[in-house]
């Protein structure tokens, strides 16, 4: 069982995430590469929401192949190209995350490998075996 840490001496999380999670010994660990909002046919949605949904669907497929779910995700790192994209990205993230909420970092970056990419997401998951 993962243990949540949100000490009273630290400001409450800004959104649906926790400040810390402790994973017990013996858990299986999965780390993903950053996933981009691109379909298998190389088409790319023009908006952050569409791209974020594709990122999380790709992560879902990776988790399933590893016999995990979003309940096993302990860390999410999200990257967007515009500060204004935060609410759209977080709305998608919050639809996919399960309890206990993972720790989360969201950064504004200057861009990705192609200018049409607006968001990238990577996760770390741990499943207690």
């Amino acid at each position: 069982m993962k243990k949540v840490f949100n000490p009273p001496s630290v400001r409450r999380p800004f959104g649906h995430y926790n400040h810390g999670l402790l994973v017990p010994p013996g858990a299986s660990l999965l780390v993903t590469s950053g996933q981009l909002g691109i379909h298998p046919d190389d088409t790319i949605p023009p908006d952050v929401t569409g791209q974020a949904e594709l990122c999380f669907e790709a992560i879902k497929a990776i988790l399933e192949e590893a016999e995990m779910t979003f309940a096993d995700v302990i860390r999410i790192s999200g990257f967007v190209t515009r500060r204004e994209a935060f609410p759209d990205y977080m709305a998608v993230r919050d639809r996919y995350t399960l309890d206990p909420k993972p720790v989360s970092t969201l950064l504004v970056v200057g861009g990705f490998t192609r200018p049409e990419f607006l968001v990238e997401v990577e996760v770390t998951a741990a499943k207690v075996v």
Side-chain angles (χ1 to χ4, degrees):
M1 186 93 185
K2 293 172 272 201
K3 186 173 178 184
V4 172
F5 292 92
N6 290 309
S9 62
V10 177
R11 191 206 180 277
R12 287 185 36 217
F14 286 103
H16 300 287
Y17 62 92
N18 287 298
H19 285 308
L21 286 177
L22 179 65
V23 178
S28 294
L29 188 67
L30 172 71
V31 179
T32 71
S33 294
Q35 300 300 305
L36 294 162
I38 186 169
H39 288 282
D41 68 0
D42 286 339
T43 58
I44 301 169
D47 63 311
V48 170
T49 297
Q51 289 190 26
E53 288 169 346
L54 284 174
C55 293
F56 280 94
E57 283 297 315
I59 290 165
K60 180 180 176 184
I62 295 165
L63 289 167
E64 287 173 351
E65 194 160 313
E67 298 181 359
M68 294 182 173
T69 71
F70 277 99
D72 299 309
V73 172
I74 58 171
R75 180 172 188 76
I76 296 176
S77 296
F79 309 90
V80 295
T81 57
R82 296 186 333 270
R83 184 167 277 103
E84 302 78 36
F86 277 27
D88 294 336
Y89 163 79
M90 289 188 300
V92 174
R93 179 201 67 188
D94 291 348
R95 286 199 321 258
Y96 283 87
T97 57
L98 300 172
D99 290 327
K101 295 296 185 187
V103 300
S104 181
T105 299
L106 178 56
L107 298 172
V108 178
V109 297
F112 301 108
T113 55
R114 291 171 40 185
E116 58 268 41
F117 291 134
L118 305 174
V119 61
E120 184 169 340
V121 182
E122 62 187 31
V123 305
T124 302
K127 184 173 185 173
V128 179
V129 290

